[in-house]
């Protein structure tokens, strides 16, 4: 990976690391070939029916933002061959790991994007996605960094635009302030309904949950994750009317 592609990458909503340990030649070749085959081309218009992005028939499309090492995405895509998954991860080592795994198990229902998820969200047609998963997003625990959090009025507007009515938004985190932040922002947005009725509804992981690397770390360190489930409802209020817009 030279410097040039990195400089041309968008950074509007991505504040994390692009690179970790130097990737081995075998990973580099899996990465290059995998991206060639599976990377979304945002230079052309998105198909009106997103299911056309996949070389196999799929009934629905799910977006996973920031898949990290890809444990959850791989497990979900293998368990649900009838769902198309778009996995987004700007961290090169995470994407390389995913492509090595896809070399071993070439799941045709996975497409990827290796830059800021906001670019994909802005590219997608309205109401085209059935579910969005944001699992252990970067927590930005210091208050002065909260504006960097992926959840906020602008990205909830993006989610509301691309999710079909009745579509799901799932958010998991082990960071209490981020969980509360997300509940408040979704409530204030008006386009999402939180589905919890009892404590179990946010303490229990999602059905078929395989875990993720960040979750394993949180559990080892004694933190208890929350698994929020929202459904896309109604229309969002104008951001100007949202009490949290200016936070
Ligand atoms: C704390 S890690 C969690 C990874 C994985 N979901 C897990 O649970 O193990 C957050 C991930 O989100 C990715 N990320 C951060 N900002 C992003 C953005 N704007 N678009 C897409 N991914 C992003 C980071 O590169 C990182 O891999």
């Amino acid at each position: 990976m030279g410097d040039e592609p990195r400089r041309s990458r968008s950074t509007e909503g991505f504040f994390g690391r692009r690179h970790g340990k130097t990737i081995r030649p075998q990973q580099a070749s899996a990465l290059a070939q995998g991206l060639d085959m599976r990377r979304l081309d945002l230079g052309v218009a998105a198909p009106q029916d997103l299911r056309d992005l996949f070389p196999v028939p799929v009934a629905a499309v799910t977006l996973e933002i920031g898949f990290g090492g890809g444990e959850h995405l791989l497990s979900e895509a293998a368990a649900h061959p009838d769902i198309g998954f778009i996995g987004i991860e700007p961290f090169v080592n995470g994407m390389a790991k995913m492509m090595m795994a896809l070399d071993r198990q070439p799941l045709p229902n996975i497409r990827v994007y290796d830059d800021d998820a906001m670019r994909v969200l802005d590219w997608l047609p309205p109401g085209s996605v059935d579910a969005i998963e944001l699992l252990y997003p970067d927590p930005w625990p210091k208050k002065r960094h909260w504006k960097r959090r992926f959840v906020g009025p602008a990205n909830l507007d993006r989610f509301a635009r691309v999710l079909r009515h009745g579509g799901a938004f799932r958010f998991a985190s082990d960071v209490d302030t981020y969980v509360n932040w997300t509940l408040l922002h979704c409530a204030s947005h008006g386009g999402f309904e939180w589905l919890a009725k009892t404590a179990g509804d946010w303490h229990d992981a999602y059905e078929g949950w395989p875990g993720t690397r960040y979750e394993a770390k949180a559990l080892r360190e004694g933190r208890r994750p929350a698994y929020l489930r929202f459904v896309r409802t109604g229309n969002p209020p104008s951001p100007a009317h949202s009490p949290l817009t200016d936070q």
Side-chain angles (χ1 to χ4, degrees):
M1 292 265 125
D3 280 348
E4 196 45 46
R6 248 183 290 164
R7 271 203 300 273
S8 65
R9 291 171 136 215
S10 129
T11 52
E12 187 197 348
F14 179 68
F15 303 95
R17 286 192 308 160
R18 297 269 187 204
H19 293 259
K21 279 194 244 161
T22 308
I23 56 174
R24 288 176 278 113
Q26 197 193 355
Q27 287 177 310
S29 125
L31 178 65
Q33 281 172 27
L35 286 179
D36 222 31
M37 192 165 78
R38 297 176 188 267
R39 187 180 197 265
L40 297 180
D41 180 2
L42 305 195
V44 300
Q48 274 314 304
D49 187 339
L50 267 201
R51 296 174 300 179
D52 293 346
L53 285 175
F54 298 88
V56 287
V58 293
V61 176
T62 287
L63 210 63
E64 184 171 332
I65 297 176
F67 63 68
E71 303 82 11
H72 177 265
L73 178 56
L74 284 163
S75 156
E76 284 289 284
H80 303 283
D82 56 331
I83 297 180
F85 291 85
I86 299 176
I88 309 172
E89 180 50 67
F91 184 53
V92 173
N93 302 62
M95 187 62 83
K97 194 172 171 208
M98 165 63 73
M99 291 310 172
M100 290 286 285
L102 287 173
D103 255 4
R104 293 187 292 272
Q105 188 185 11
L107 300 167
N109 56 333
I110 295 186
R111 299 289 309 262
V112 298
Y113 189 67
D114 58 341
D115 202 341
D116 189 346
M118 290 183 200
R119 299 187 64 190
V120 177
L121 289 164
D122 289 343
W123 177 78
L124 293 169
S128 59
V129 166
D130 295 274
I132 296 178
E133 313 214 71
L134 189 60
L135 308 173
Y136 297 90
D138 291 329
W140 299 109
K142 291 184 185 148
K143 199 164 184 179
R144 69 173 186 279
H145 289 148
W146 283 2
K147 278 197 170 157
R148 296 182 178 184
R149 286 176 166 174
F150 199 86
V151 174
N155 279 342
L156 287 179
D157 277 349
R158 288 182 165 100
F159 287 1
R161 190 186 71 81
V162 303
L163 268 178
R164 70 167 168 78
H165 195 84
F169 165 39
R170 286 188 279 271
F171 172 97
S173 176
D174 57 314
V175 178
D176 291 351
T177 63
Y178 203 173
V179 172
N180 292 337
W181 164 278
T182 298
L183 286 170
L184 281 170
H185 276 88
C186 283
S188 143
H189 184 275
F192 300 91
E193 186 189 336
W194 185 30
L195 292 178
K197 299 278 179 281
T198 67
D201 292 335
W202 69 88
H203 285 149
D204 298 343
Y206 311 114
E207 205 190 318
W209 178 248
T212 76
R213 212 148 58 91
Y214 272 81
E215 178 180 66
K217 184 166 179 277
L219 293 173
R220 269 198 314 275
E221 293 171 3
R223 290 186 299 280
R224 186 171 192 184
Y227 307 89
L228 306 184
R229 301 158 172 87
F230 300 92
V231 65
R232 170 76 176 97
T233 57
N235 288 318
S238 143
H241 298 130
S242 163
L244 292 170
T245 300
D246 298 328
Q247 273 198 7

